[in-house]
Amino acid sequence: MTKTGRIELMSPAGDFTSLQAAIDNGADSVYFGVEQLNMRARASMNFTIDDLPEISKRCSEKGVRTYLTLNTIIYDHDLSIIKTLLDKAKAANLTAVIAMDQAVIAYARQIGMEVHISTQINITNIETVKFYALFADTMVMSRELSISQIKKICQQIEKEQVKGPSGNLVEIEIFGHGALCMAVSGKCYLSLHSHNSSANRGACKQNCRKKYTVIDQETGFEIELDNEYMMSPKDLCTIGFLDQIDDAGVKVLKIEGRGRAPEYVAMVTKCYREAIDSIADGTFSEEKVKIWMNDLEKVYNRGFWDGYYLGQELGEWSANSGSSATQKKIYIGKGKHFYPKSNIAEFLIEAYDLSEGDTVLIQGPTTGSQEMVVTNMMVDQKENTSKGVKSDVVTFKTDFRVRPSDKLYKVVQSETV
């Protein structure tokens, strides 16, 4: 539950590198999946059940809340798995479980674990909120609601004193940034019909992200489309009207992206952290929004739009199948050694080149995602060498500890690669 009065910022974590990036950049809470039975089960990045104590430890040390996503359709053969997983989550002192299936909700309540209702439930009115308040303290609204509709629900919660099992008023959560699905609150069946791979079991094949043409089978006439990606919405971005979201009474803002890279988690968390704090201290402005938008465009995105929040008509489709990010990272090499007394990091270059003045990302399970500019670089212990190439060992100073498991990337403008 929110403790500060500000909007709680919830960030995604697909692995320990992204988890650390979220923590380092100001997330109030993180959400993550464990192996199967979450809506990103098909993603290459997922934690295991044995990771739960370490996740809890890292987050509790920084006062960050932990939310386990268990929000897929559940069948009979899954029941023993969800009970084992929830028991482990409870034992690890995770904060809450995000759920949609009544079996998950009921067992979580049985063992005394806080429940958050997933957007898959598709909550769109106060009466549904009141029903789920029997089981849950926080509820994610349907993605199709406008800010005015959300504000009315928040006002009714306050007026009618709708409380969850904790005895506190129910908190409303919304998606604030990231990928949108063409289906209602993500409940899509295209992948199931075409590949027998259910999106509602976390195994979406992303049919909507591909190019399509429309052809009349009887005449062969092809309908002209303004955009071949006619089922692929642009990414949601609310930072420009976050003050309106705050005014509506929203308590939790969720960043989508458990399948995206650590630098995405770091940058998006950082921007929204600054925006939420600026609303709290009265410095939120159009000038700051422009700076944040410029930064958000640097990491993975399909272009941005406001979603349904401002009541606009649908029609904001992606221009291509991949990212429109203005920057990208290229792999340079790996960590070799770190000298803690002088804060000097040593890397082996395995690909491309590295020059003094380059912007780099250093990423690892404990390091998270750290961006910096290389200065005072040495190559093979030689001074006055401003460029390193493949097989060279380079050293330069950092403001953080570097580990052998860390990877070194160079950040470049997208058109240069």
Side-chain angles (χ1 to χ4, degrees):
M1 306 290 285
T2 303
K3 304 297 183 185
T4 63
R6 299 177 304 180
I7 293 177
E8 174 184 324
L9 178 60
M10 186 197 303
S11 295
D15 59 15
F16 277 112
T17 305
S18 293
L19 175 72
Q20 195 61 48
I23 294 170
D24 290 342
N25 286 277
D28 295 307
S29 57
V30 293
Y31 68 104
F32 48 89
V34 173
E35 296 164 2
Q36 65 227 66
L37 302 182
N38 73 89
M39 293 301 286
R40 293 295 181 272
R42 185 171 165 266
S44 59
M45 297 189 296
N46 265 311
F47 292 102
T48 70
I49 199 167
D50 293 332
D51 292 328
L52 295 181
E54 176 63 18
I55 295 170
S56 180
K57 176 178 176 291
R58 287 199 198 186
C59 291
S60 62
E61 287 174 349
K62 299 294 183 180
V64 174
R65 288 177 283 282
T66 48
Y67 304 141
L68 173 68
T69 59
L70 237 176
N71 57 344
T72 62
I73 292 172
I74 302 297
Y75 296 112
D76 278 332
H77 65 264
D78 299 319
L79 294 176
S80 62
I81 299 174
I82 66 166
K83 290 180 179 179
T84 298
L85 185 50
L86 286 170
D87 286 341
K88 293 285 187 180
K90 176 71 174 177
N93 293 316
L94 298 190
T95 308
V97 59
I98 301 172
M100 66 164 283
D101 193 285
Q102 289 296 332
V104 179
I105 294 169
Y107 190 72
R109 294 305 309 145
Q110 181 181 323
I111 64 174
M113 192 167 186
E114 184 178 324
V115 174
H116 293 187
I117 298 298
S118 170
T119 190
Q120 262 67 36
I121 289 290
N122 196 222
I123 296 176
T124 55
N125 60 74
I126 186 61
E127 293 301 324
T128 306
V129 170
K130 286 157 72 172
F131 172 77
Y132 281 105
L134 296 169
F135 317 104
D137 293 293
T138 302
M139 302 180 197
V140 189
M141 294 295 98
S142 169
R143 300 180 197 179
E144 289 68 43
L145 293 179
S146 67
I147 290 180
S148 61
Q149 290 173 311
I150 293 168
K151 184 173 185 177
K152 184 176 181 181
I153 290 172
C154 292
Q155 289 173 336
Q156 288 173 301
I157 289 171
E158 181 73 34
K159 180 181 179 180
E160 299 184 38
Q161 291 291 289
V162 181
K163 297 180 180 180
S166 67
N168 296 315
L169 291 178
V170 166
E171 294 191 338
I172 294 304
E173 174 186 327
I174 67 169
F175 277 84
H177 191 93
L180 283 174
C181 177
M182 62 165 228
V184 175
S185 285
K187 291 185 289 187
C188 181
Y189 296 92
L190 277 178
S191 183
L192 179 63
H193 291 315
S194 64
H195 296 90
N196 195 31
S197 184
S198 176
N200 301 298
R201 292 279 286 177
C204 180
K205 294 290 187 180
Q206 296 202 314
N207 301 51
C208 60
R209 303 302 182 186
K210 299 175 183 178
K211 288 183 178 182
Y212 288 93
T213 56
V214 180
I215 300 174
D216 185 327
Q217 291 292 324
E218 293 184 3
T219 66
F221 176 75
E222 182 175 327
I223 298 174
E224 183 178 348
L225 301 173
D226 292 333
N227 187 344
E228 293 169 316
Y229 296 96
M230 61 182 181
M231 293 191 293
S232 179
K234 290 180 179 179
D235 283 359
L236 175 65
C237 180
T238 64
I239 205 162
F241 53 94
L242 198 57
D243 53 341
Q244 295 181 51
I245 291 173
D246 179 67
D247 178 68
V250 170
K251 298 300 183 184
V252 186
L253 190 80
K254 185 174 190 174
I255 297 170
E256 186 278 337
R258 280 185 287 141
R260 294 190 177 177
E263 65 270 17
Y264 167 91
V265 176
M267 180 64 79
V268 179
T269 301
K270 174 179 174 292
C271 289
Y272 278 87
R273 172 78 281 145
E274 292 175 359
I276 290 170
D277 291 347
S278 71
I279 292 170
D281 64 25
T283 61
F284 186 84
S285 66
E286 290 185 11
E287 291 73 21
K288 285 188 174 183
V289 169
K290 290 178 182 177
I291 294 171
W292 294 322
M293 287 299 299
N294 182 67
D295 285 341
L296 291 170
E297 288 169 354
K298 294 176 181 177
V299 293
Y300 192 103
N301 70 84
R302 297 184 180 93
F304 294 126
W305 73 301
D306 302 333
Y308 300 89
Y309 292 133
L310 300 182
Q312 295 177 338
E313 292 183 5
L314 184 63
E316 296 286 344
W317 305 108
S318 303
N320 52 61
S321 61
S323 176
S324 299
T326 59
Q327 293 183 347
K328 62 172 63 178
K329 65 180 182 184
I330 56 175
Y331 179 72
I332 299 293
K334 62 185 179 183
K336 199 168 184 293
H337 192 72
F338 183 74
Y339 301 91
K341 291 184 178 179
S342 54
N343 279 355
I344 297 294
E346 185 176 75
F347 291 90
L348 172 64
I349 296 183
E350 296 183 319
Y352 293 98
D353 59 82
L354 182 69
S355 299
E356 195 164 301
D358 282 343
T359 299
V360 296
L361 281 170
I362 299 172
Q363 297 181 339
T366 307
T367 305
S369 182
Q370 304 285 349
E371 182 175 322
M372 60 169 289
V373 176
V374 175
T375 58
N376 300 317
M377 185 175 75
M378 293 178 60
V379 180
D380 292 333
Q381 301 300 317
K382 297 175 183 177
E383 297 182 3
N384 301 317
T385 50
S386 59
K387 185 175 182 179
V389 297
K390 187 176 180 179
S391 298
D392 283 344
V393 174
V394 300
T395 57
F396 50 86
K397 194 167 186 176
T398 66
D399 294 329
F400 48 90
R401 186 177 184 85
V402 172
R403 300 159 179 87
S405 58
D406 290 348
K407 294 180 179 179
L408 176 68
Y409 300 90
K410 181 160 62 173
V411 179
V412 299
Q413 296 302 306
S414 294
E415 64 269 14
T416 65
V417 175

